[in-house]
Amino acid sequence: MELSAVARDSREKLLPLYRTYGFGAIAFSTTGRGFLTGKFLKEKKFEPGDIRNMDPLFQRESFQSGLRVAERLAKVGRNYGKTPAQVAIAWVLSQQGIICALTGPSTIAHLEENIGGSGWPLSSEDIEDLELFFKQEDVWLERERRSSIRHILSKPLAQEPSKAFVDLVYAIETATLLGLTSEKEVLPIFQELYGMRKALAEEAVPKLETIRNRLRDVTHIENGEVL
């Protein structure tokens, strides 16, 4: 399951299953696709073709919250002499039911750093403080995500097709996370949208509008308000 300090949903949706069925859970993307390494600032730039250019985690309020989470982990790490990435991995390993935290190092130095995320515990005080921090972030995120969905689905799409595409991807994932639509309902819409990613010219705008209208139909939104 995907699990990191910036992608915490599986703690409620998947981790409880281990208590019922007695299996161990393997976490992936434990540093939030590099978000929690501490290398991202307020401005983000990725190479063309990098999936993170459209990844909802790196858009809008999700990106803003992620920056605060990364900063908080860096602050905790200074008390242990650990890097933000090592704290991120240690936090994942502290979750009950997690037996392994997968990482994707690209160099030996990254591998050695990631290994340093295991073999030591976060204190109970730090874990409790992080939990309180995450609860505050969750309240803020839900409010702001609902606002973004309302805007994307009710206001004119961005004039630039690539920006409209990213906004619709964000609306699809975020609406699903918030339970405003179901994966079954939204998957065909996402598949059609994702198939357009390499052909986003001006002539794609009407089709993007059609996809936006379909998304409205399967999302609990009425008179411009997210329910």
Side-chain angles (χ1 to χ4, degrees):
M1 64 185 69
E2 180 176 3
L3 179 60
S4 74
V6 288
R8 303 181 294 274
D9 295 82
S10 60
R11 293 202 300 171
E12 286 73 37
K13 296 178 179 179
L14 297 177
L15 263 184
L17 295 174
Y18 95 92
R19 300 188 187 96
T20 302
Y21 299 103
F23 55 73
I26 297 175
F28 68 86
S29 290
T30 51
T31 62
R33 297 188 275 290
F35 207 141
L36 300 175
T37 61
K39 66 181 181 180
F40 293 106
L41 302 175
K42 291 184 178 180
E43 297 296 328
K44 58 185 187 301
K45 291 184 179 180
F46 301 115
E47 295 294 327
D50 191 317
I51 193 68
R52 289 174 294 186
N53 284 311
M54 58 170 280
D55 188 337
L57 177 61
F58 293 86
Q59 312 302 324
R60 294 176 173 260
E61 54 275 346
S62 293
F63 183 71
Q64 296 173 43
S65 177
L67 288 176
R68 292 193 292 268
V69 171
E71 183 179 354
R72 190 61 171 256
L73 295 187
K75 181 179 179 180
V76 172
R78 288 192 286 271
N79 294 329
Y80 294 86
K82 301 293 185 179
T83 68
Q86 290 171 334
V87 177
I89 294 167
W91 180 82
V92 169
L93 290 171
S94 75
Q95 303 303 301
Q96 192 175 19
I98 294 294
I99 61 172
C100 179
L102 298 182
T103 66
S106 57
T107 65
I108 292 177
H110 286 161
L111 173 61
E112 292 173 340
E113 180 182 14
N114 291 345
I115 290 173
S118 65
W120 60 277
L122 287 164
S123 71
S124 58
E125 291 82 4
D126 281 329
I127 291 175
E128 289 174 7
D129 286 345
L130 285 172
E131 289 302 322
L132 178 60
F133 172 72
F134 292 148
K135 286 179 181 179
Q136 294 169 342
E137 284 296 315
D138 287 342
V139 171
W140 182 85
L141 270 173
E142 178 165 353
R143 182 182 68 248
E144 296 302 315
R145 282 171 169 170
R146 285 176 177 271
S147 177
S148 285
I149 293 172
R150 182 169 62 246
H151 185 274
I152 293 169
L153 298 185
S154 302
K155 306 297 182 181
L157 286 174
Q159 293 184 349
E160 184 182 347
S162 60
K163 177 64 167 62
F165 172 84
V166 171
D167 283 346
L168 288 171
V169 170
Y170 187 83
I172 286 173
E173 174 165 300
T174 305
T176 306
L177 283 174
L178 294 177
L180 301 174
T181 187
S182 68
E183 291 185 8
K184 181 179 180 180
E185 289 177 308
V186 85
L187 184 58
I189 300 173
F190 175 76
Q191 289 174 330
E192 182 176 350
L193 176 65
Y194 192 69
M196 297 176 61
R197 69 192 185 280
K198 295 181 180 179
L200 291 171
E202 287 297 325
E203 55 267 26
V205 173
K207 190 172 182 180
L208 290 171
E209 288 281 3
T210 299
I211 289 175
R212 193 265 298 272
N213 293 336
R214 289 176 59 198
L215 182 57
R216 278 179 57 93
D217 290 341
V218 298
T219 302
H220 300 298
I221 185 169
E222 185 175 315
N223 297 324
E225 293 296 323
V226 176
L227 302 180

